[in-house]
Amino acid sequence: MNSALTQEELEQILNQAVQDITERTAGVRLHQGEQSPGEDLCTVHITFDRGFHTSLTLCADTSLLYRMARNSFHEELLEPEDLEEFGKEYLNVLCGRIASAMFQATRIPAHFNPPVFYHGHYEPEGREIQFVLTYSNEYNEGAQLIHHVPCPEDGNGAEGTLTEGSI
């Protein structure tokens, strides 16, 4: 039984999930790159509370989230509530895929809380960024998936190797 993942292995799991889920659920192909989201953005945050003590934050250009939501809902005109609903459901599906892949790799079951949506940029308290995966689409709309771990002063910080309770 392997109960540890390296940061590189976790990045690979997250990247594969983002690209697969985004194309399948929203019909948008994302490519890893250097372009950060712009000023008009939305953030969706989710915390794993069992199995792994980590969180993921998706910061994306509002235009990218609208594009993804329109494709997913098959509607051109969307209300702001639709964008929030889509963002939360998208991250929920994404984290389900991630939890499944992490279980296959570590045999550690994970549970995550419901996602929370924010207009603008959100940084979770008591967490530090371990790494950031940056994406853009063919229209140069950007998104970042940010992996957070508890701050070292919380006693749960981890660097390099990710194990149960610290991923």
Side-chain angles (χ1 to χ4, degrees), residues 15-62:
N15 179 50
Q16 187 67 48
V18 165
Q19 292 195 26
D20 288 350
I21 296 299
T22 304
E23 190 165 353
R24 265 199 246 161
T25 65
V28 172
R29 184 169 280 165
L30 294 178
H31 304 282
Q32 276 195 288
E34 301 293 319
Q35 180 178 334
S36 297
E39 305 256 334
D40 181 17
L41 54 92
C42 296
T43 304
V44 190
H45 179 77
I46 201 163
T47 302
F48 285 81
D49 63 354
R50 230 177 302 140
F52 305 107
H53 300 287
T54 187
S55 64
L56 291 172
T57 303
L58 175 72
C59 293
D61 286 327
T62 301

Side-chain angles (χ1 to χ4, degrees), residues 10 14 43-58 91 94-95 98 102 111-116 122-132 144-151 154 156 162 165-167:
L10 181 58
L14 297 179
T43 304
V44 190
H45 179 77
I46 201 163
T47 302
F48 285 81
D49 63 354
R50 230 177 302 140
F52 305 107
H53 300 287
T54 187
S55 64
L56 291 172
T57 303
L58 175 72
L91 193 59
L94 180 65
C95 286
I98 290 166
M102 289 171 60
H111 178 267
F112 47 90
N113 291 318
V116 182
Y122 170 78
E123 283 288 326
E125 289 185 29
R127 304 267 173 176
E128 66 182 17
I129 295 172
Q130 184 178 42
F131 61 84
V132 178
Q144 290 183 320
L145 186 65
I146 304 164
H147 181 259
H148 293 95
V149 293
C151 289
D154 292 342
N156 291 325
L162 306 171
S166 65
I167 292 184

